[in-house]
Amino acid sequence: MYSQGLLGANTETEETPEFLAAFQARIDREEKIEPNDPMPAAYRKTLIRMISQHAHSEIVGMLPEGNWITRAPTLRRKVALLAKVQDEGGHGLYLYSAAETLGVSREQLTEELLSGKAKYSSIFNYPTPTWADIGAIGWLVDGAAIMNQVPLCRCSYGPYARAMIRVCKEESFHQRQGYELISSLAEGTEEQKAMAQDALNRWWWPSLMMFGPSDTDSQHSDQSMAWKIKRFTNDELRQKFVDATVPQAELIGLTMPDENLRWNETKNNGQGGYDFGEIDWDEFWQVVKGHGMMNKDRINARRKAWDDGAWVREAALAHAEKQSNAKTAAKTAA
Amino acid sequence: MSDSKMMPLWEVFIRPRNGLNHKHVGSLHAADGELALQAARDVYTRREEGNSIWVVRAEDILASDPDKSAENFDPAADKIYRHPSFYDIPDEVGHM
C-alpha cells in the first residue's frame, strides 16, 4: 500500500542509543513509520517475519476451503465461498506488497514458503473433511483472525496498518457467512446438527491456538508491544475471542468442547469473562514443527500451483518483452 | 526461484467516482501494463471501489528523500502569513 519507487535504498542504520531513543519517541507519539524511514534492524526483521507469515497464511488458507468449492450444496453457498477464497488471495497480495516495502522481494518470500522454511498459521494444517468445516472456518478461524487483525490496523508500520484496514473491511463478510452456514446446519436435521457439532469440536481448540503461545512463553511479545507493532498480548486477544464466541455457540445450540469452560464474573477487571481449559501446547508445537495432518499436502499444493503456473508467467514476460521491442523498433524507424 | 526474470512491480491508482482524484491504493506484480490493469481490477475493485484505474511502473516513480524531509517541508511551518487567519479585518465585514 505504498509507492515502492525508492526500493533498494540503503537500509542500514547506525543504532546509537540516541537513534534508538528517538525512534522509540516517534512510536510513543503514535507517529507511523513509513518505508525508507530509518528504523532499527530488529524492527524491520520483526515486521518482515510477521507480515510474510501473515501473507503465507492467507495463501495457504485458500486450500482447506478451496477443497469444497466444487461441492458447495447450493449456488448461494458456492458464490460466497468462491468470493471468500478470492478475497484471501487478495489479502495475500496486499500483505506481500507491504512486506516488499521493507526490502524483501515477493520471489524471495515465495521461495521460503515453497522450501518449507517459512511459517504460516498452523490452523491451515488441519483437514476439512465435512461441509460443516467451511462454516466452522468462517465463524471461528476468521473470527480469531479478525480479533488479531483489528488491532493491527493501528500498527506503527504504515504499510502494514493500511493493508490491514483493507483486509478487515473484507474479513467481516467471511465470518458472517461462516456463522450463517453453521447456524443453518445447527437448525437442520439431527444428522446436520451432529455435523455442525463435530466441526466445532475439531476447530475450537486449534482456533484458540491461533493466538500463539501463552504470554509467559512467547519470545516476541514484549518488544513488539513496545514498538506498537502489536497492541495486545496473545493471551489478551485469546480471552477476547473466547468471550465473544461462547455466546454465539449457545445461541445456535452448539456446545463448546471444554468441560472447564465457565463464567467468571471477576475476570476482565470485574466485567466478567470465561475461564477455559488448558490448551494442548504439545499438539500446537507438533503442528508448528511440520507434523500436523496436512502440512505436507499444503506445501505440495503450493509447489504444484507454482510449477504449473510457470509457463504462464514465462509466456506473459516473453509477450511483454516482444511488445516492448516492437514499440522501440517502431519508434526508431519513425 | 526457477524464473530467471522478476515480474515488474506496478503501483495502482483508483478513482472512486467521477469528480474525485485517482488515489494510490496499493501495488501488484504483472508482466505488462495490460495484465497489470486486469489484475488491478480483480484485486482492488471487487466491491465497487472505483470506476477508473491507473497503473504505473513502480520504478518510474521518483520520490523525495525522507532524509531531506526537514529541509523540504519544515520551512512552510513558519510562514503563517500564507493563511487567511493571519490577517485582521473588522468583525462587521462578516465572512470573507
Side-chain angles (χ1 to χ4, degrees):
Chain A
M1 313 280 136
Y2 175 82
S3 171
Q4 300 173 29
L6 271 185
L7 277 190
N10 183 10
T11 57
E12 273 174 45
T13 321
E14 205 190 327
E15 296 186 26
T16 60
E18 293 76 30
F19 167 75
L20 291 174
F23 183 78
Q24 188 62 49
R26 287 189 70 188
I27 301 273
D28 293 342
R29 285 195 300 271
E30 296 287 333
E31 275 183 37
K32 293 286 183 212
I33 308 301
E34 294 293 342
N36 302 313
D37 281 357
M39 61 183 91
Y43 179 84
R44 183 185 301 278
K45 199 177 149 199
T46 301
L47 279 163
I48 292 175
R49 178 180 54 78
M50 269 182 73
I51 302 174
S52 60
Q53 279 182 15
H54 195 163
H56 297 323
S57 301
E58 298 284 355
I59 298 300
V60 176
M62 298 166 83
L63 298 168
E65 292 179 293
N67 184 32
W68 279 92
I69 290 175
T70 55
R71 289 173 287 162
T74 65
L75 186 58
R76 184 172 184 275
R77 294 285 183 223
K78 189 171 189 154
V79 292
L81 189 54
L82 264 171
K84 178 179 190 300
V85 173
Q86 191 189 9
D87 275 353
E88 314 290 6
H91 297 175
L93 186 146
Y94 311 152
L95 289 159
Y96 283 127
S97 297
E100 281 181 294
T101 65
L102 291 158
V104 284
S105 70
R106 195 173 69 181
E107 281 80 0
Q108 196 180 329
L109 297 175
T110 307
E111 171 81 52
E112 285 176 9
L113 175 66
L114 299 185
S115 72
K117 188 182 158 210
K119 298 262 185 295
Y120 54 87
S121 181
S122 285
I123 195 85
F124 302 117
N125 291 319
Y126 290 83
T128 44
T130 77
W131 172 246
D133 291 335
I134 300 308
I137 288 182
W139 173 34
L140 302 173
V141 176
D142 290 273
I146 291 171
M147 269 313 162
N148 253 320
Q149 288 168 351
V150 168
L152 286 173
C153 297
R154 294 189 294 128
C155 166
S156 62
Y157 187 58
Y160 194 20
R162 293 193 284 279
M164 291 321 300
I165 290 170
R166 258 195 95 85
V167 168
C168 285
K169 269 189 199 159
E170 300 183 352
E171 202 81 53
S172 169
F173 128 67
H174 298 181
Q175 191 185 16
R176 288 174 66 112
Q177 66 84 35
Y179 189 62
E180 189 202 82
L181 195 169
I182 206 161
S183 307
S184 315
L185 290 173
E187 285 164 14
T189 62
E190 277 308 304
E191 220 177 341
Q192 286 170 324
K193 189 171 178 185
M195 192 196 270
Q197 182 63 51
D198 168 64
L200 174 58
N201 294 348
R202 283 180 292 110
W203 290 93
W204 175 243
W205 291 105
S207 300
L208 295 188
M209 294 176 199
M210 282 176 71
F211 297 95
S214 171
D215 295 347
T216 46
D217 302 319
S218 175
Q219 321 168 27
H220 304 297
S221 249
D222 290 348
Q223 185 60 69
S224 298
M225 298 279 287
W227 278 333
K228 300 193 179 179
I229 295 174
K230 287 173 71 170
R231 298 274 176 169
F232 297 97
T233 68
N234 295 352
D235 285 337
E236 284 168 345
L237 290 168
R238 188 165 17 242
Q239 184 67 47
K240 275 172 186 262
F241 175 69
V242 172
D243 293 342
T245 313
V246 171
Q248 294 166 356
E250 282 168 4
L251 195 67
I252 55 175
L254 297 179
T255 311
M256 290 303 185
D258 179 0
E259 54 188 27
N260 295 311
L261 186 78
R262 48 187 64 85
W263 182 252
N264 175 349
E265 54 189 33
T266 64
K267 254 195 166 165
N268 298 329
N269 299 320
Q271 289 180 357
Y274 287 92
D275 286 329
F276 53 95
E278 187 61 32
I279 290 170
D280 182 353
W281 292 113
D282 286 343
E283 175 182 321
F284 173 76
W285 289 113
Q286 282 298 312
V287 183
V288 169
K289 285 173 187 152
H291 309 301
M293 275 183 269
M294 301 300 283
N295 296 56
K296 286 205 181 78
D297 289 55
R298 300 300 183 226
I299 293 300
N300 287 341
R302 286 313 309 154
R303 280 195 195 132
K304 184 174 185 305
W306 179 259
D307 293 342
D308 289 354
W311 71 270
V312 180
R313 293 190 298 276
E314 282 160 21
L317 281 168
H319 177 74
E321 193 177 4
K322 202 168 148 189
Q323 296 297 107
S324 156
N325 289 345
K327 228 187 229 171
T328 318
K331 255 190 203 157
T332 320
Chain B
M1 208 86 312
S2 54
D3 296 11
S4 53
K5 278 193 296 184
M6 307 231 289
M7 283 280 169
L9 184 65
W10 301 77
E11 300 299 335
V12 182
F13 299 78
I14 292 190
R15 183 177 63 205
R17 56 176 193 276
N18 285 15
L20 297 177
N21 293 320
H22 285 74
K23 198 178 157 204
H24 182 247
V25 294
S27 40
L28 50 80
H29 291 269
D32 60 28
E34 200 185 330
L35 289 172
L37 278 172
Q38 270 182 28
R41 174 204 165 268
D42 287 347
V43 176
Y44 291 106
T45 64
R46 290 200 300 280
R47 290 180 175 81
E48 300 180 280
E49 285 92 340
N51 65 8
S52 170
I53 304 173
W54 291 348
V55 291
V56 182
R57 282 283 287 261
E59 63 183 30
D60 291 336
I61 292 179
L62 297 183
S64 61
D65 184 346
D67 287 342
K68 293 192 179 142
S69 63
E71 62 192 79
N72 274 332
F73 308 114
D74 286 357
D78 59 6
K79 294 183 176 62
I80 49 170
Y81 49 85
R82 288 183 170 160
H83 297 278
S85 56
F86 182 74
Y87 299 94
D88 294 322
I89 55 164
D91 288 348
E92 299 81 58
V93 177
H95 178 72
M96 182 184 272

